[in-house]
């Protein structure tokens, strides 16, 4: 275990020696660190591996994300949860565990948060203590500071794979079956509009990325997100839009609703919206009911049935219409619901696929296509009723 006193002493000396009048190259900082380690008292007898680890941690504390950089570069870590400077938890292979390292101070953690937020042109302070941002590698970041966070700054980072996970990979992991994928691929190609639901960490964004790989390459696709996370591949005519929060310098907020309206003037074939959380669901329905079939999005929900009722509630937040009119727009605009979830063994799986078929007894009715059974896995539960889009596209089930 590294001596934290030695690390703190060396870091303080390193900060004193840095030339703050100019931007130093990484190589220059590493040379200073090497010089200090080689000439430091009490360090000459330190084992080589400990010296290498000390060198790396000193560099990360100056130039990267401090103690978190090691976790950012670890492909097995999917979630990083920082509860103040002394408590860091990680998720690895679906299981949460405490990490042994910590920030040297609350101020250092605040510096890291400001560094991340600043790179995304976002602001976090006492007046705006909650912010969403992202890292350069696309990892999702959520930060909360005082006065909302009572025990120190809170930082949550969700890492996505460096390479997008494909449907073949999801099949090999047991997340979905080949039969289900074969159907969904044909539905995407035939321009069925699909809404992917699930809880936090269920794999909605990953599944959306994998499904979007089957959008025909000759289409113009526009993605709209709060924070750019989607990794759409194989679409040359791709436009990526990201929402913007207001800041202290007078910059105006640009919402998902604003971006949807702007995107409609860009001649899209279909839209891919990272997630609908509120009133923008009304704008999504407008898109789906005005000739933009095949659009894709995600939503937080507990089941396919719950997805329908949640969507109704969110649309009513942004549109003053009778419930029956909202339901008619939903069944006219959205064709397929996919629901993902996490099982007791922490694996992420497709649990249900359903077709929206109409309104029955005042509720949106569904035709189950696939459903997960604990003893059998994901099994076929029914056949697609509305095959008009498949027929127009010349696709046979």
């Amino acid at each position: 275990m590294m001596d934290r006193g030695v690390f703190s002493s060396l870091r303080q000396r390193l900060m004193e020696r840095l030339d703050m009048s100019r931007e130093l190259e990484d190589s220059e900082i590493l040379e200073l660190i090497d010089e200090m380690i080689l000439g430091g008292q009490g360090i000459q007898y330190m084992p080589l591996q400990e010296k290498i680890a000390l060198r790396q941690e000193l560099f990360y504390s100056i130039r990267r994300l401090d103690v978190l950089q090691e976790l950012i570069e670890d492909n097995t870590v999917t979630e990083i949860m920082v509860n103040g400077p002394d408590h860091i938890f990680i998720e690895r292979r679906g299981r949460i565990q405490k990490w042994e390292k910590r920030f040297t101070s609350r101020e250092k953690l605040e510096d890291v948060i400001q560094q991340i937020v600043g790179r995304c042109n976002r602001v976090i302070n006492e007046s705006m203590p909650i912010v969403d941002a992202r890292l350069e590698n696309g990892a999702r970041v959520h930060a909360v500071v005082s006065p909302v966070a009572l025990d120190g700054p809170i930082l949550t980072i969700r890492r996505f794979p460096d390479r997008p996970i494909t449907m073949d990979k999801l099949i090999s992991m047991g997340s979905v079956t080949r039969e289900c994928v074969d159907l969904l691929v044909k539905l995407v190609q035939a321009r069925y509009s699909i809404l992917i639901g699930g809880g936090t960490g269920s794999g909605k964004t990953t599944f959306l990325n994998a499904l979007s790989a089957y959008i025909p390459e000759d289409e113009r696709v526009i993605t709209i997100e709060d924070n750019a996370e989607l990794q759409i591949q194989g679409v040359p005519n791709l436009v990526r839009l990201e929402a913007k929060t207001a800041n202290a310098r007078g910059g105006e907020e640009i919402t998902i609703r604003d971006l949807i309206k702007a995107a409609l003037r860009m001649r899209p074939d279909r839209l891919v919206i990272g997630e609908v959380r509120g009133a923008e669901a009304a704008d999504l329905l407008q898109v789906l009911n005005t000739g933009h079939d095949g659009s894709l999005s995600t939503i937080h929900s507990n089941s396919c049935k719950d997805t329908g009722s949640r969507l109704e509630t969110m649309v009513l937040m942004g549109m003053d219409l009778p419930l029956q009119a909202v339901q008619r727009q939903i069944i006219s605009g959205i064709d397929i619901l996919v629901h993902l979830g996490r099982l007791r063994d922490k694996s992420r799986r497709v649990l249900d696929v359903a077709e929206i078929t109409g309104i029955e007894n005042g509720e949106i009715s569904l035709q189950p296509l696939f459903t997960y059974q604990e003893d059998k896995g994901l099994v076929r539960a029914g056949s697609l009723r509305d095959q008009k889009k498949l027929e127009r596209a010349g696709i046979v089930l």
Side-chain angles (χ1 to χ4, degrees):
M1 182 68 68
M2 185 183 301
D3 187 325
R4 304 312 300 176
V6 171
F7 171 80
S8 297
S9 175
L10 282 175
R11 188 179 186 282
Q12 183 176 349
R13 288 169 51 201
L14 178 60
M15 292 298 294
E16 292 170 354
R17 294 189 58 182
L18 288 178
D19 183 356
M20 298 301 181
S21 65
R22 65 185 181 89
E23 182 72 21
L24 295 178
E25 298 289 337
D26 288 355
S27 58
E28 294 178 280
I29 295 176
L30 286 169
E31 285 178 11
L32 276 175
I33 293 172
D34 290 341
E35 181 183 329
M36 292 172 61
I37 290 177
L38 291 174
Q41 291 185 348
I43 302 177
Q44 58 266 42
Y45 300 113
M46 183 183 288
L48 177 60
Q49 288 302 318
E50 288 189 25
K51 288 183 179 179
I52 293 173
L54 178 60
R55 178 184 193 259
Q56 183 184 64
E57 190 164 341
L58 281 168
F59 178 70
Y60 285 165
S61 73
I62 298 297
R63 210 7 109 61
R64 297 290 189 264
L65 299 184
D66 202 71
V67 294
L68 301 185
Q69 188 65 35
E70 178 182 339
L71 298 176
I72 293 296
E73 296 177 356
D74 185 343
N75 292 330
T76 67
V77 174
T78 51
E79 195 107 21
I80 303 167
M81 294 153 276
V82 182
N83 304 339
D86 300 321
H87 303 286
I88 300 175
F89 293 83
I90 62 173
E91 181 187 59
R92 183 180 274 127
R93 300 181 182 90
R95 302 199 177 272
I96 295 176
Q97 60 193 76
K98 195 174 190 303
W99 200 42
E100 70 275 7
K101 294 186 179 180
R102 58 181 293 275
F103 283 91
T104 55
S105 67
R106 178 173 180 155
E107 290 71 27
K108 184 56 189 175
L109 172 54
E110 290 173 346
D111 287 345
V112 168
I113 292 174
Q114 291 293 348
Q115 179 187 151
I116 295 171
V117 170
R119 288 175 179 171
C120 299
N121 293 318
R122 310 254 167 136
V123 174
I124 186 168
N125 50 41
E126 288 190 358
S127 300
M128 303 175 67
I130 302 175
V131 71
D132 289 309
R134 58 183 166 82
L135 300 182
E136 292 176 354
N137 64 2
R140 180 189 303 168
V141 176
H142 182 75
V144 183
V145 298
S146 176
V148 175
L150 301 180
D151 300 316
I154 308 301
L155 180 64
T156 309
I157 301 174
R158 176 171 297 171
R159 288 188 75 257
F160 295 103
D162 295 330
R163 294 182 179 179
I165 292 181
T166 63
M167 278 299 181
D168 287 338
K169 178 66 173 177
L170 290 175
I171 292 171
S172 70
M173 293 164 58
S175 298
V176 65
T177 63
R178 172 62 67 182
E179 183 184 14
C180 181
V181 168
D182 287 344
L183 173 63
L184 290 175
V185 167
K186 290 178 179 179
L187 296 181
V188 170
Q189 293 171 339
R191 300 179 66 84
Y192 281 71
S193 297
I194 301 175
L195 190 57
I196 301 166
T200 300
S202 59
K204 299 185 296 298
T205 301
T206 298
F207 197 84
L208 177 58
N209 275 326
L211 200 57
S212 67
Y214 300 97
I215 295 174
E217 63 178 19
D218 61 345
E219 293 188 13
R220 178 171 171 82
V221 177
I222 298 179
T223 66
I224 297 174
E225 303 172 81
D226 269 330
N227 292 290
E229 299 167 353
L230 294 173
Q231 299 170 298
I232 293 182
Q233 306 293 312
V235 179
N237 196 348
L238 176 67
V239 177
R240 302 170 69 228
L241 303 177
E242 182 180 54
K244 172 183 173 294
T245 58
N247 59 48
R249 294 184 295 273
E252 293 185 5
E253 180 183 24
I254 305 295
T255 67
I256 294 291
R257 302 194 72 176
D258 296 328
L259 294 179
I260 291 175
K261 292 172 184 175
L264 292 178
R265 301 186 182 98
M266 300 181 190
R267 199 259 176 231
D269 286 306
R270 62 176 102 195
L271 269 60
V272 179
I273 301 175
E275 183 178 341
V276 288
R277 297 189 180 96
E280 66 271 11
D283 299 285
L284 172 63
L285 281 190
Q286 295 302 307
V287 169
L288 298 176
N289 282 282
T290 53
H292 299 89
D293 292 343
S295 295
L296 307 170
S297 187
T298 74
I299 184 174
H300 274 82
S301 64
N302 295 322
S303 65
C304 282
K305 184 176 179 62
D306 179 60
T307 296
S309 58
R310 280 216 70 218
L311 193 59
E312 290 172 5
T313 302
M314 290 191 292
V315 171
L316 289 170
M317 292 167 59
M319 184 182 291
D320 186 17
L321 286 175
L323 177 60
Q324 293 82 358
V326 172
Q327 290 176 331
R328 286 196 295 271
Q329 290 216 15
I330 290 174
I331 64 173
S332 174
I334 299 175
D335 302 301
I336 303 294
L337 302 179
V338 178
H339 184 73
L340 292 85
R342 300 185 71 165
L343 303 185
R344 284 174 291 182
D345 63 1
K346 308 300 182 182
S347 62
R348 298 173 173 89
R349 295 179 184 272
V350 173
L351 300 182
D352 288 291
V353 179
E355 176 188 11
I356 293 181
T357 55
I359 302 173
E360 192 173 317
N361 298 323
E363 295 185 350
I364 293 173
S365 57
L366 304 176
Q367 163 71 2
L369 302 178
F370 287 89
T371 188
Y372 183 85
Q373 298 178 9
E374 196 158 342
D375 55 336
K376 297 180 180 179
L378 191 65
V379 297
R380 172 75 83 163
S383 300
L384 186 74
R385 293 184 184 178
D386 186 356
Q387 300 190 18
K388 295 187 182 68
K389 292 181 181 179
L390 286 166
E391 293 167 0
R392 288 198 295 267
I395 298 174
V396 180
L397 286 181

